Amino acid sequence: SDPEAQAYLRSWPDAAKQTLTTAYRHSWIFAERRNILMSQVRQELHNHQIPYALHKGLGYLYSMYPDPAIRMMNDVDILIGEQDKERVYALLEKIGLERFVIDPPHPCAQLFQLRSKKFFIDVHHRISWPHQTRIPASHILRQASIRTPEGEFVFRSTEQFLFHIYHMCKEQLLRKHIPLRAYMELRELFLRLNDSLLSVTHRAKRWGLHRMLNLSLWLLESSYPGLLSP
C-alpha cells in the first residue's frame, strides 16, 4: 500500500523478487503449521485453566506485524507461573512435544521440540537470569492485559518494550548473535509505547532494568537521530 515501497520493489532484479516471494511462501506455510500446533496448546491450557501469556515474537504479531508470515520464527515463547510448570510440561508431552535436554538445565525455562516440524516451544516460568532483576513471575503474568481474538493474553507495548530490552541485553551478555530485526523491533516498540517515557522509566526502576533502559535509549538515539527528541 506504500507507493514508494512498491516502486522500490519494482526496481529489484527478477531473481531477487523471486527469492523474496519464495521466502514469504515458506514463511506463510510455517506460520500456518505453527497456528495449528498453538491451537492445540491453547485448548489444553484453557481446558485445565492454566494462566499463561504469549511472550516475545508471537506476542509481537499482535502489536507490530500485520501479517504473521512477515515475522519468521521457529520457536514460540510462553510465560507461565512457576507453580504450573509440571502440569504444562505434561500437557505439551501429551500433544506430542518432547523435552529438549540442555546440560546444565536452564534455571528459568524448559524447551520443547516437535521433531517432525523442527519447531520449538520455550516455556518460561521465571525472568531473572542472568540479570539480578526484581520481576516476580506472578507479577509479570498480571501485566499481560490484552486478550487476543483467540483468547490468549499478550503484553502491552510498554511491557513488551522493557522485556525486549531485557532479552537483547541477555543475548549480549551470553555473546549470542543479535539479528538486525531485534533493533528494528526495539524502535517499533518504542514508537508504540502506551505510557510516557517518564512512566516507563519508573517501571524500569521498579523492575531493576533502569540501566538497560538507559543503554537502549542511547542506542535508539544513536541509530535513529532525533527519535527521542520532543
Side-chain angles (χ1 to χ4, degrees):
S1 59
D2 186 331
E4 290 186 8
Q6 292 179 2
Y8 174 65
L9 288 174
R10 283 196 295 270
S11 70
W12 283 21
D14 289 341
K17 293 178 185 177
Q18 184 59 44
T19 298
L20 185 63
T21 300
T22 301
Y24 176 81
R25 287 173 179 168
H26 288 166
S27 182
W28 185 88
I29 293 171
F30 197 87
E32 288 299 301
R33 291 173 175 171
R34 180 185 67 226
N35 291 341
I36 292 172
L37 175 62
M38 288 307 297
S39 68
Q40 294 178 275
V41 173
R42 179 170 59 245
Q43 191 64 50
E44 289 292 338
L45 294 177
H46 286 181
N47 288 346
H48 291 81
Q49 299 182 336
I50 298 176
Y52 70 100
L54 301 179
H55 193 33
K56 297 197 290 185
L58 198 57
Y60 296 165
L61 295 184
Y62 297 94
S63 59
M64 71 175 90
Y65 290 102
D67 183 342
I70 296 175
R71 214 288 191 177
M72 182 61 181
M73 63 186 89
N74 65 350
D75 70 337
V76 166
D77 296 88
I78 64 173
L79 181 67
I80 63 170
E82 189 163 5
Q83 71 280 2
D84 294 320
K85 64 179 183 179
E86 293 303 329
R87 286 202 299 158
V88 172
Y89 297 170
L91 292 174
L92 293 179
E93 290 173 335
K94 174 184 172 183
I95 62 176
L97 290 149
E98 302 176 5
R99 298 193 195 203
F100 191 82
V101 179
I102 301 175
D103 188 21
H106 196 291
C108 301
Q110 175 61 54
L111 190 65
F112 284 81
Q113 180 180 21
L114 186 65
R115 292 186 181 276
S116 60
K117 305 297 183 184
K118 296 182 180 179
F119 185 75
F120 298 89
I121 296 182
D122 207 356
V123 183
H124 302 259
H125 60 267
R126 283 207 313 268
I127 297 184
S128 59
W129 182 85
H131 312 299
Q132 297 299 315
T133 63
R134 301 185 295 273
I135 318 177
S138 58
H139 171 73
I140 295 173
L141 278 174
R142 288 196 297 270
Q143 307 310 303
S145 56
I146 298 176
R147 195 156 197 166
T148 72
E150 295 79 18
E152 296 170 304
F153 284 96
V154 297
F155 297 99
R156 300 183 313 148
S157 293
T158 295
E159 286 76 30
Q160 286 184 338
F161 177 65
L162 290 175
F163 292 149
H164 192 81
I165 290 170
Y166 172 90
H167 284 284
M168 285 185 70
C169 290
K170 182 187 74 173
E171 298 297 283
Q172 187 65 45
L173 285 176
L174 297 176
R175 297 185 178 182
K176 291 185 177 180
H177 169 68
I178 300 178
L180 176 61
R181 179 190 66 209
Y183 295 93
M184 298 172 65
E185 289 175 341
L186 181 69
R187 175 183 180 274
E188 292 304 309
L189 289 170
F190 175 79
L191 293 173
R192 288 167 169 76
L193 286 176
N194 306 105
D195 306 305
S196 68
L197 188 54
L198 180 61
S199 177
V200 174
T201 301
H202 288 326
R203 174 71 62 89
K205 286 181 178 179
R206 290 198 302 272
W207 285 359
L209 301 176
H210 189 217
R211 291 181 179 178
M212 295 181 206
L213 175 62
N214 287 341
L215 176 62
S216 297
L217 293 177
W218 170 82
L219 183 63
L220 282 171
E221 183 62 25
S222 299
S223 303
Y224 307 98
L227 181 66
L228 274 64
S229 301

